[in-house]
Amino acid sequence: MINKLLFLSFLCLSSFAFSQQIKTCQLDENFSDRFYFYSYKANAKLSDSEPNKKLVASIFSLIENTTTLELTNKEGKSSSNFTQKSIIKSKAYLINPSKCVNDETIIVYIDKDKFNSQFLKFYLTEINLIRDRLSSISNTSINKSYNFLEEEVQKIKLKFNELKFYLPFANSITYKSYDSDLQEVYKLLTKLEISNLSIDEQINSLEQKYLQMDCKSALNEVNSISFLKPSKIQNRRIKKLRLNIEKNCKILQKKDIEEAKGSSVLFNNIEIALSLQTYPVNVSSGVPKINEFNLDSFFATSRFNYFLGISDTGLRLGPHFKYYFLSGAISKEKSSIVFSDSFSEIGLTARYRILRNFLEIEFSFGKSINKITPLADKNGKPFNFTIVSPSLVLGSPNKGLSFSAGFDYISANDSSNYKYITARVGINYNIQFKKLDKNTKKEIKNNYEIKS
């Protein structure tokens, strides 16, 4: 009753305007922008209420003809359909339009801004009334009879369907969206209807629909049923149902993660690099010529990197292992061999993106694993090399292959003053491992996790 009175106060004043003498229309270019209107021939045989119906029909003409809400239903009974025809019939008498005549045409019209403003006030009031009514019934439902709750649910369903019918129009005349408000009402209505079912009916209902529900809602619902003191047989059904829901949720969560990774720009990657290097040039000061590398040719190096992507900053860091293949490059004459055979290096590499998918700069720092023995110096003691390597990388890890160019600065870590520079060019092969940022991980987790 309260709803009807408020609705009448929203759009219903009276049909007083229709009883007055019809005035001549004052039409201008902006008439259709300022007014909702319906026109008909003066000699048309229309009842007093028919023009109102036609005007309402024109106002809501963009709303689809039939809107049906599917809620949890008992024993297969579907909720009532709500059609445009019934709305027009019931609401046509509830507006107070103006009326004028232009030649032999009668125009029924109402100001758009005024109508829209009053409509939105009514619409929000109706939403709040239904929401408050649902909350009130839910809080006192334990003291209500089954028949009472069933009747209330059906009444509220019809009112909800009416509001759902009006939703496209309400959203189209304001910057605010009412979707979330109706969604809240829908959840309260569904909760009330479910609470009015027996345990077996609730289990049956959830078994039929959980695949179409979001995981959190399905898990919350099965948990709610388990608190209703089910029998042993019912409890076994609930446990089986919960396992099925959890299994389905794990599949959906995994799918969401894979889809999110597929569109993510974040990744870790493994890189395998092969380079060709020039013979090391001695840049030591005051070191005899005998301390130089005496190579017959260029030599090869290989490197293995694991990079960790740091957010989407373009910075990636990771450890590396590098091997210098010197055995085939050093002269066979022992008198010209300065250092022992091939050696390996471990260290840390940092790479920073300058141009996405095209150019990166790299800086690595490492130390030889095995000791280096200066064979030509009988008094020389074994030592380790420290290697600093700046580079430019052309290409992108996203493409699999990239190319690099740079140099290695090789220095003994003792007082022997062995220092060398060698230039290199190489090719890199990348294997990506896509990953998600923290916010995306948290969002997906929240979609499936139920907090106690």
Side-chain angles (χ1 to χ4, degrees):
M1 184 64 183
I2 295 176
N3 286 1
K4 291 182 179 179
L5 289 174
L6 285 171
F7 188 78
L8 289 170
S9 66
F10 143 60
L11 286 179
C12 177
L13 297 174
S14 69
S15 58
F16 175 75
F18 284 85
S19 65
Q20 299 186 41
Q21 184 177 0
I22 301 176
K23 62 182 179 180
T24 301
C25 296
Q26 302 293 325
L27 304 180
D28 56 38
E29 294 179 353
N30 299 322
F31 183 83
S32 61
D33 294 329
R34 294 187 292 118
F35 298 98
Y36 296 116
F37 67 93
Y38 170 73
S39 60
Y40 61 96
K41 293 295 183 181
N43 60 359
K45 296 180 179 180
L46 299 180
S47 66
D48 291 340
S49 62
E50 194 66 21
N52 290 38
K53 294 180 183 180
K54 299 292 185 180
L55 178 57
V56 172
S58 69
I59 293 174
F60 298 115
S61 62
L62 296 179
I63 304 178
E64 57 185 41
N65 289 332
T66 302
T67 301
T68 303
L69 174 67
E70 291 297 334
L71 288 171
T72 305
N73 298 308
K74 184 178 178 182
E75 297 177 354
K77 294 180 181 178
S78 60
S79 57
S80 301
N81 291 341
F82 206 83
T83 64
Q84 183 181 12
K85 185 177 179 180
S86 63
I87 288 182
I88 292 170
K89 183 177 179 180
S90 61
K91 309 308 180 194
Y93 301 99
L94 304 180
I95 62 174
N96 184 31
S98 300
K99 195 174 185 181
C100 66
V101 62
N102 182 37
D103 293 332
E104 296 182 357
T105 301
I106 297 176
I107 299 175
V108 182
Y109 63 95
I110 189 168
D111 183 89
K112 283 186 177 181
D113 291 338
K114 183 178 179 180
F115 179 88
N116 292 347
S117 176
Q118 290 177 330
F119 177 85
L120 291 175
K121 289 179 182 178
F122 147 76
Y123 194 70
L124 186 57
T125 299
E126 287 288 281
I127 290 175
N128 290 332
L129 285 172
I130 294 178
R131 185 162 44 202
D132 293 344
R133 180 60 177 158
L134 283 168
S135 298
S136 175
I137 295 174
S138 297
N139 293 334
T140 59
S141 61
I142 191 171
N143 299 319
K144 304 294 183 181
S145 68
Y146 172 84
N147 289 334
F148 170 81
L149 292 175
E150 181 71 12
E151 290 175 2
E152 286 297 308
V153 166
Q154 294 305 318
K155 289 178 183 178
I156 296 174
K157 271 188 185 182
L158 291 174
K159 180 59 70 174
F160 178 82
N161 276 341
E162 182 179 335
L163 291 176
K164 194 170 185 286
F165 177 92
Y166 282 127
L167 179 62
F169 180 76
N171 285 342
S172 70
I173 61 175
T174 181
Y175 293 110
K176 173 181 170 59
S177 172
Y178 291 94
D179 293 77
S180 58
D181 298 277
L182 281 194
Q183 184 65 22
E184 183 182 352
V185 173
Y186 172 78
K187 289 180 179 179
L188 289 171
L189 182 53
T190 304
K191 182 179 179 181
L192 177 61
E193 191 173 33
I194 290 172
S195 68
N196 202 36
L197 299 175
S198 69
I199 294 177
D200 282 324
E201 287 172 331
Q202 292 187 49
I203 296 173
N204 290 338
S205 174
L206 188 55
E207 284 175 337
Q208 294 174 11
K209 70 179 183 179
Y210 78 87
L211 290 176
Q212 286 74 48
M213 298 175 64
D214 66 87
C215 282
K216 289 184 76 171
S217 297
L219 289 170
N220 279 327
E221 193 165 317
V222 76
N223 287 339
S224 297
I225 297 173
S226 65
F227 292 136
L228 299 177
K229 298 180 180 180
S231 66
K232 289 184 178 180
I233 295 176
Q234 290 170 336
N235 201 39
R236 283 196 294 268
R237 290 184 64 194
I238 292 170
K239 287 182 179 179
K240 182 179 179 180
L241 179 56
R242 181 185 287 109
L243 288 175
N244 289 337
I245 294 173
E246 290 174 348
K247 182 179 179 180
N248 182 59
C249 288
K250 287 179 180 179
I251 294 173
L252 294 176
Q253 184 175 14
K254 184 177 180 181
K255 182 180 178 182
D256 284 353
I257 291 173
E258 292 302 318
E259 289 179 352
K261 283 184 176 180
S263 59
S264 175
V265 297
L266 307 181
F267 61 90
N268 298 333
N269 69 292
I270 290 174
E271 183 178 86
I272 301 171
L274 184 63
S275 301
L276 187 64
Q277 306 212 181
T278 63
Y279 64 87
V281 176
N282 182 9
V283 292
S284 306
S285 59
V287 176
K289 187 176 181 180
I290 196 173
N291 289 338
E292 294 185 5
F293 279 87
N294 291 319
L295 304 179
D296 292 336
S297 64
F298 294 99
F299 67 96
T301 58
S302 64
R303 192 177 74 174
F304 177 88
N305 267 93
Y306 182 76
F307 285 106
L308 295 171
I310 311 298
S311 186
D312 191 29
T313 61
L315 176 65
R316 289 181 291 131
L317 299 171
H320 72 258
F321 173 84
K322 187 174 181 179
Y323 192 80
Y324 294 77
F325 295 94
L326 295 175
S327 59
I330 296 179
S331 172
K332 299 298 182 181
E333 299 180 14
K334 189 170 182 178
S335 60
S336 65
I337 297 177
V338 179
F339 296 106
S340 57
D341 208 347
S342 304
F343 64 93
S344 54
E345 164 199 342
I346 57 171
L348 184 67
T349 302
R351 189 174 288 181
Y352 185 73
R353 182 183 65 228
I354 302 298
L355 297 174
R356 187 181 290 273
N357 297 331
F358 181 71
L359 180 64
E360 296 177 313
I361 58 172
E362 177 185 288
F363 184 85
S364 65
F365 179 84
K367 182 179 180 181
S368 62
I369 298 175
N370 48 309
K371 294 283 186 178
I372 310 300
T373 303
L375 301 180
D377 185 355
K378 295 181 180 180
N379 297 321
K381 296 181 179 180
F383 58 83
N384 292 98
F385 273 134
T386 298
I387 302 101
V388 177
S389 305
S391 306
L392 287 176
V393 181
L394 296 176
S396 169
N398 296 325
K399 306 301 181 182
L401 291 178
S402 59
F403 302 90
S404 63
F407 65 89
D408 296 339
Y409 177 74
I410 305 172
S411 175
N413 65 345
D414 63 2
S415 58
S416 58
N417 202 27
Y418 292 114
K419 295 182 176 70
Y420 307 91
I421 289 180
T422 171
R424 60 182 159 73
V425 292
I427 186 170
N428 313 316
Y429 178 71
N430 294 276
I431 302 173
Q432 273 192 13
F433 303 95
K434 288 291 189 76
K435 63 179 184 177
L436 303 177
D437 60 76
K438 290 182 179 179
N439 290 336
T440 303
K441 286 181 181 178
K442 185 177 180 180
E443 182 180 347
I444 293 176
K445 184 179 180 181
N446 288 340
N447 288 339
Y448 295 91
E449 183 183 64
I450 296 179
K451 298 180 180 179
S452 56

